[in-house]
Amino acid sequence: MTYFSKGDIMNVAILISGRGSNLKAILEAERNKKIAKAQVKLIISNNSKAEGLKYAKEFGKKTAWLESNNFKSKEAYDKELAQIIKSNDIELVVLAGFMRILSPSFIKQFKNKIINIHPSLLPAFPGLNAQKQALDCGVKITGCTVHFVNEMVDKGPIIIQKTVDVKDDDTEFSLSNRILEKEHEILPLAIKLISENRVNLIKNKVRIA
Ligand code: GAR
């Protein structure tokens, strides 16, 4: 299966929950014309106080925020989220530090149109605190992964990975920062490749053309 962007320029929504450094990396890549076939049309946060929303303002992007406590259920939240995404004609949803698990029905509606960045070499260390999990396990190499989101958390087809060496004196902070540098490379790159229709899914495995 090839991802086909509908038009010349693929409309992208970025979902964040906090700091937003990956969002910033994407917006800078867009500004520097490194992802010429995609445009960030909308930034959505599940937290109106998310630090990263300052980048939306800085780069003049439309913003929406959906606070969970304003909704009766997870389903109601995801329904509203889906509505916002559809009404903005979004073709790719990018989870950039979006710390909320999306419901299977939401994911089904946007099959192969949601990608996520995770701070480990999946399938190792899924879930929360991936960097700490890596340190606790004593691995010598870890890294980050961009993958398609499917109904199983952190298990969707892998698009790009980058490795990071673990140093003997690493702390969670130092390791997280080095991984983050690589995240800032591969997340904009994944958007670029998808927008150029170079990402193919064959038997649930990604092949880059
Ligand atoms: C990033 O390290 C990202 O990989 C991680 O949250 C951080 C968000 O940073 N995401 C996950 O752990 C998802 N399971 P940012 O807000 O500065 O982009």
Side-chain angles (χ1 to χ4, degrees):
M1 191 226 92
T2 304
Y3 182 94
F4 288 106
S5 161
K6 273 197 276 176
D8 246 11
I9 304 289
M10 182 181 74
N11 287 331
V12 180
I14 316 284
L15 274 57
I16 65 165
S17 296
R19 180 179 53 188
S21 71
N22 276 290
L23 165 66
K24 182 174 181 238
I26 295 163
L27 293 173
E28 282 175 346
E30 183 187 33
R31 180 179 274 174
N32 297 333
K33 312 256 183 291
K34 287 190 181 152
I35 42 175
K37 287 193 163 287
Q39 66 173 351
V40 177
K41 197 168 176 204
L42 181 62
I43 292 156
I44 304 175
S45 175
N46 61 338
N47 166 16
S48 62
K49 295 190 176 61
E51 206 191 319
L53 286 172
K54 69 182 177 203
Y55 299 119
K57 209 172 168 197
E58 193 181 317
F59 286 79
K61 296 291 181 183
K62 183 167 155 189
T63 309
W65 56 87
L66 291 178
E67 302 263 7
S68 338
N69 46 16
N70 293 339
F71 291 85
K72 279 199 203 119
S73 63
K74 195 173 168 54
E75 286 67 35
Y77 184 101
D78 284 2
K79 208 172 161 191
E80 177 69 17
L81 185 60
Q83 179 51 38
I84 293 176
I85 288 168
K86 283 181 189 158
S87 63
N88 280 279
D89 208 16
I90 298 299
E91 295 163 86
L92 183 71
V93 175
V94 178
L95 309 184
F98 189 64
M99 304 312 253
R100 190 186 156 90
I101 294 176
L102 296 163
S103 59
S105 67
F106 178 93
I107 292 166
K108 243 180 235 152
Q109 284 180 71
F110 300 101
K111 196 172 159 56
N112 301 329
K113 291 188 175 183
I114 312 172
I115 63 172
N116 179 47
I117 178 86
H118 184 78
S120 75
L121 294 175
L122 289 172
F125 315 130
L128 293 175
N129 307 316
Q131 305 92 333
K132 182 171 185 305
Q133 291 185 57
L135 284 174
D136 289 349
C137 192
V139 293
K140 303 296 182 198
I141 296 171
T142 183
C144 49
T145 303
V146 182
H147 65 96
F148 282 113
V149 172
N150 65 13
E151 286 88 341
M152 290 171 293
V153 176
D154 295 333
K155 287 237 167 83
I158 291 167
I159 305 169
I160 312 178
Q161 295 186 301
K162 274 255 166 155
T163 59
V164 172
D165 289 339
V166 181
K167 297 178 181 168
D168 289 347
D169 61 352
D170 257 331
T171 60
E172 200 181 333
F173 181 74
S174 62
L175 180 60
S176 299
N177 279 338
R178 287 207 313 290
I179 294 174
L180 206 54
E181 284 174 24
K182 302 291 177 193
E183 292 183 37
H184 296 165
E185 291 174 20
I186 65 172
L187 191 52
L189 177 60
I191 297 170
K192 173 183 153 68
L193 293 171
I194 292 171
S195 71
E196 292 171 353
N197 281 327
R198 290 171 60 197
V199 174
N200 298 302
L201 251 182
I202 298 163
K203 292 186 186 159
N204 228 27
K205 290 192 181 63
V206 167
R207 298 285 175 257
I208 309 278

